[in-house]
Amino acid sequence: TITNSTFTGNTAGGLGGGVDNKRDGRMQISGSTFTSNEAEYGGGAASQGSAIFAPGETTITGSTFSSNAATEYGGGFFNILNTAEVINTDFTANTAVEGAGLSGINGGQVTVTGGTFFENTAVKTGGGLHNELAVLNIDSVDIVHNHAGRHGGGVFNWAGTIHVTGSEFRENSAGEAGGGIENTGDTI
């Protein structure tokens, strides 16, 4: 459990610049701040599962991710194969190639309830949130002024499933398609 803690300026060559939850681990983060951390995947934090272990679980509550960077996926937070809940958490000014605020891929499931995604920027897809071959649930989230160089300024979905309920998309932009949401090849 990580509570009321600060992660600033940490780096990782692979996953989780600030913190990484691996395999079938259980991680709870609350009231914490992640600022200016960097990694290839999950600049602020990452949760990575494995095909040979039971899925791990990550819960993030009442926290802030700002100015974190990923050279690939998930500037703020990255999830692969695990289950993650993100509750009343704010993602601001994070950057990545894909999924600047948050990215979930390859069979995992991320549920985001409350909080904001503001001024996050992706080089390619998913300025705010990015979902690929996974499940993404978005409930009562403000997704405002995010940008993607290609697709999905607010949210990008590729070959996955997303559910959006009671959320606001405002002033998001994409260089090619889907200023608010871009859905490619599966279900929204």
Side-chain angles (χ1 to χ4, degrees), residues 47-112:
S47 181
Q48 57 169 318
S50 167
I52 61 172
F53 291 91
E57 296 178 1
T58 297
T59 304
I60 302 169
T61 307
S63 296
T64 301
F65 290 76
S66 61
S67 301
N68 300 287
T71 57
E72 292 293 338
Y73 292 80
F77 175 66
F78 173 75
N79 184 72
I80 179 170
L81 289 170
N82 279 350
T83 299
E85 284 191 74
V86 180
I87 304 162
N88 296 330
T89 292
D90 297 329
F91 293 79
T92 303
N94 300 287
T95 60
V97 174
E98 306 200 56
L102 177 154
S103 177
I105 69 170
N106 292 0
Q109 178 169 306
V110 177
T111 299
V112 183

Side-chain angles (χ1 to χ4, degrees), residues 23-179:
R23 296 182 180 164
D24 55 351
R26 304 288 185 264
M27 178 170 69
Q28 294 183 335
I29 299 170
S30 65
S32 295
T33 301
F34 293 78
T35 306
S36 300
N37 302 287
E38 287 187 31
E40 186 176 14
Y41 298 88
S47 181
Q48 57 169 318
S50 167
I52 61 172
F53 291 91
E57 296 178 1
T58 297
T59 304
I60 302 169
T61 307
S63 296
T64 301
F65 290 76
S66 61
S67 301
N68 300 287
T71 57
E72 292 293 338
Y73 292 80
F77 175 66
F78 173 75
N79 184 72
I80 179 170
L81 289 170
N82 279 350
T83 299
E85 284 191 74
V86 180
I87 304 162
N88 296 330
T89 292
D90 297 329
F91 293 79
T92 303
N94 300 287
T95 60
V97 174
E98 306 200 56
L102 177 154
S103 177
I105 69 170
N106 292 0
Q109 178 169 306
V110 177
T111 299
V112 183
T113 306
T116 62
F117 287 77
F118 180 67
E119 291 192 348
N120 300 286
T121 303
V123 175
K124 293 182 179 178
T125 62
L129 301 94
H130 171 272
N131 186 60
E132 183 176 311
L133 297 166
V135 177
L136 174 62
N137 303 305
I138 301 169
D139 187 358
S140 305
V141 179
D142 291 334
I143 300 169
V144 180
H145 210 269
N146 301 283
H147 177 74
R150 295 185 184 173
H151 303 279
V155 174
F156 178 78
N157 180 53
W158 185 77
T161 300
I162 63 173
H163 305 279
V164 180
T165 305
S167 296
E168 181 178 356
F169 291 77
R170 183 162 38 90
E171 298 176 357
N172 300 288
S173 61
E176 295 181 18

Side-chain angles (χ1 to χ4, degrees), residues 8-18 36-39 43:
T8 305
N10 301 287
T11 62
L15 287 95
S36 300
N37 302 287
E38 287 187 31

